[in-house]
């Protein structure tokens, strides 16, 4: 079990992805975060953002871009291979991720260029003290979450500033943003999603129910209630109903009644 | 930063942008394309919360839940 800041490359990858307005849950766009960044740490990404978004919309394998934070283990490695037209296995730190990203090559290559160009400014302006404070803030909350959620207990958890109130589950780690106390709840959710090994909608739905039940009457119950009220659950509720996971009436209630969601999800899991 | 590297990357960026724009234009104008869709404008997807793939045994990364953003540049709403 561990908790640490994500490496500088992963921080940069999430920072870059936070600038693109992709459709649906693939999006990590965060206007508030982008607005808080130094101009020089945003401009090289923003310049081609509309094109990247258009490519993402049309690219059948666009979701492969979600693997971007795994490709390198340092910005130095990204920059060392930046001039290459195409990366080879010897250039990267995760060959499987490179293979995955290659399936959406035009999109990936344009993003890689943006990352290379913005990297020096990003490193100069990275708020290291804020990151350390966020880490210290998350640590006790995560301890509480680990204590009540077996799937999270031994998980490697990392913090990436640009993720805000979002999270990402990878095979070997869970990455959450800096927005406490949501990030502890997000870590629980990501651990549940990862443990489901189901398709997207079934996995998300089961994770929502599981975490809602786990946090009941715990120190994280209020944080969970606030977090879950902040989500756009309408598409997932619709899909869950189509899959027969929830009645149409309850799906509509969960989508519409944000303050009551946690209780409704717990009820959904017991019927 | 090596100036040669930067020049090479800027040149590659220009090439990628040109190719991408050409591809998007061709895709929009080409007669053999499926039903026309607007370019450079997000289209409404039928099932935005249902990406077209399933989790593989090794647990490939995938996007998680969307955070609703009621207003520009605000934190998630209070309940």
């Amino acid at each position: 079990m561990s908790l640490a800041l994500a490496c500088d490359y992963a921080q940069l990858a999430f920072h870059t992805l936070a600038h693109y307005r992709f459709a649906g849950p693939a999006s990590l766009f965060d206007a508030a975060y982008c607005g808080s960044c130094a101009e020089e740490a945003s401009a090289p990404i923003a310049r081609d953002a509309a094109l990247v978004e258009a490519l993402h919309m049309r690219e059948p394998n666009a979701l492969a871009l979600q693997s971007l934070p795994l490709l390198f283990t340092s910005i130095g490695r990204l920059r060392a291979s930046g001039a290459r037209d195409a990366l080879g296995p010897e250039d990267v730190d995760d060959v499987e991720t490179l293979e995955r990203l290659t399936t959406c090559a035009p999109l990936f290559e344009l993003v890689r260029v943006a990352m290379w160009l913005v990297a020096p400014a990003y490193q100069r302006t990275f708020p290291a003290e804020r990151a350390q404070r966020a880490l210290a803030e998350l640590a006790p909350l995560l301890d509480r979450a680990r204590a009540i959620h077996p799937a999270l207990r031994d998980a490697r958890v990392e913090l990436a500033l640009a993720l805000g109130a979002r999270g990402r589950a990878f095979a070997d780690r869970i990455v959450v943003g800096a927005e406490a106390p949501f990030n502890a709840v997000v870590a629980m959710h990501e651990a549940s999603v990862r443990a489901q090994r189901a398709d997207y909608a079934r996995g998300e739905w089961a994770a929502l129910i599981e975490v809602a039940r786990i946090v009941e009457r715990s120190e994280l119950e209020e944080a969970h209630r606030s977090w879950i009220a902040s989500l756009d659950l309408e598409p997932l509720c619709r899909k869950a109903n189509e899959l027969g996971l929830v009645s149409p009436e309850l799906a509509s209630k969960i989508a519409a009644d944000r303050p009551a969601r946690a209780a409704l999800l717990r009820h959904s899991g017991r019927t | 930063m090596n100036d040669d590297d930067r020049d090479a990357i800027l040149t590659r960026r220009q090439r990628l942008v040109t190719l991408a724009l050409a591809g998007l234009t061709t895709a929009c104008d080409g007669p053999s394309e499926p039903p026309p869709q607007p370019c450079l404008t997000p289209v409404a997807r039928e099932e935005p919360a249902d990406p077209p793939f399933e989790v593989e045994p090794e647990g490939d990364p995938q996007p998680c839940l969307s955070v609703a953003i009621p207003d520009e540049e605000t934190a998630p709403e209070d309940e």
Side-chain angles (χ1 to χ4, degrees), chain A residues 38-49:
Chain A
E39 169 69 14
E40 60 179 332
S42 283
I45 306 169
R47 180 169 50 182
D48 294 328

Side-chain angles (χ1 to χ4, degrees), chain B residues 35-53:
Chain B
Q37 290 190 5
C39 281
L40 301 173
T41 303
V43 293
R45 297 185 176 191
E46 288 185 9
E47 295 175 352
D50 188 19
F53 73 100

Side-chain angles (χ1 to χ4, degrees), chain A residues 7-262:
Chain A
C7 71
D8 63 352
Y9 167 78
Q11 298 276 358
L12 172 62
F14 286 119
H15 166 82
T16 303
L17 293 172
H19 284 71
Y20 301 128
R21 297 173 189 259
F22 297 146
S27 177
L28 290 177
F29 178 74
D30 188 332
Y33 172 79
C34 293
S36 73
C37 295
E39 169 69 14
E40 60 179 332
S42 283
I45 306 169
R47 180 169 50 182
D48 294 328
L51 186 55
V52 167
E53 290 157 6
L55 286 174
H56 191 278
M57 194 167 59
R58 301 187 64 88
E59 169 56 61
N61 295 317
L63 285 172
L65 199 61
Q66 299 292 319
S67 303
L68 187 68
L70 304 176
L71 187 59
F72 295 106
T73 54
S74 73
I75 288 178
R77 292 276 286 158
L78 164 78
R79 293 176 67 188
S81 57
R84 294 189 201 280
D85 277 345
L87 296 174
E90 69 283 1
D91 296 319
V92 302
D93 296 314
D94 188 328
V95 175
E96 283 186 20
T97 294
L98 176 61
E99 290 169 354
R100 199 174 292 130
L101 288 166
T102 303
T103 66
C104 64
L107 172 65
F108 160 58
E109 289 298 339
L110 204 50
V111 173
R112 183 164 71 96
V113 165
M115 290 177 71
W116 195 96
L117 291 171
V118 82
Y122 179 74
Q123 287 182 298
R124 275 197 305 275
T125 60
F126 181 77
E129 285 185 15
R130 186 158 72 84
Q132 288 297 337
R133 280 200 307 274
L135 196 63
E137 196 173 13
L138 172 58
L141 296 167
L142 190 64
D143 285 345
R144 289 174 210 159
R146 288 191 199 274
I148 58 176
H149 193 9
L152 182 62
R153 195 157 295 153
D154 298 318
R156 170 183 169 188
V157 178
E158 295 183 349
L159 187 148
L161 283 182
L163 272 176
R166 295 182 172 99
R168 286 289 185 261
F170 298 106
D172 66 342
R173 79 199 75 167
I174 289 168
V175 189
V176 297
E179 198 168 320
F182 287 176
N183 47 10
V185 176
V186 170
M188 295 177 73
H189 177 79
E190 299 296 343
S192 285
V193 169
R194 195 168 62 167
Q196 297 300 323
R197 295 182 177 272
D199 63 80
Y200 175 79
R202 291 178 198 276
E204 291 288 346
W205 192 254
L208 285 175
I209 292 170
E210 181 176 62
V211 175
R213 294 178 69 177
I214 289 173
V215 299
E216 189 175 17
R217 288 186 285 278
S218 79
E219 293 174 284
L220 292 169
E221 184 172 13
E222 182 54 34
H224 173 268
R225 202 164 63 86
S226 298
W227 170 71
I228 209 163
S230 74
L231 301 175
D232 175 12
L233 287 184
E234 199 281 331
L236 183 60
C237 286
R238 193 173 63 241
K239 187 64 182 175
N241 172 238
E242 288 171 11
L243 291 170
L245 304 175
V246 62
S247 70
E249 295 78 16
L250 190 50
S252 296
K253 274 188 195 173
I254 292 170
D257 192 347
R258 291 169 180 250
R261 276 176 177 171

Side-chain angles (χ1 to χ4, degrees), chain B residues 2-75:
Chain B
N2 182 317
D3 284 345
D4 289 342
D5 281 357
R6 184 175 175 80
D7 289 346
I9 284 165
L10 288 173
T11 301
R12 188 152 62 89
R13 171 189 168 267
Q14 191 54 53
R15 193 169 67 246
L16 287 167
V17 167
T18 302
L19 282 170
L21 286 173
L24 289 171
T25 304
T26 302
C28 284
D29 297 342
S32 62
E33 283 298 308
Q37 290 190 5
C39 281
L40 301 173
T41 303
V43 293
R45 297 185 176 191
E46 288 185 9
E47 295 175 352
D50 188 19
F53 73 100
E54 294 189 347
V55 177
E56 294 175 5
E58 291 305 310
D60 278 357
Q62 61 176 300
C64 209
L65 299 166
S66 294
V67 177
I69 304 175
D71 298 303
E72 281 274 314
E73 301 186 7
T74 60

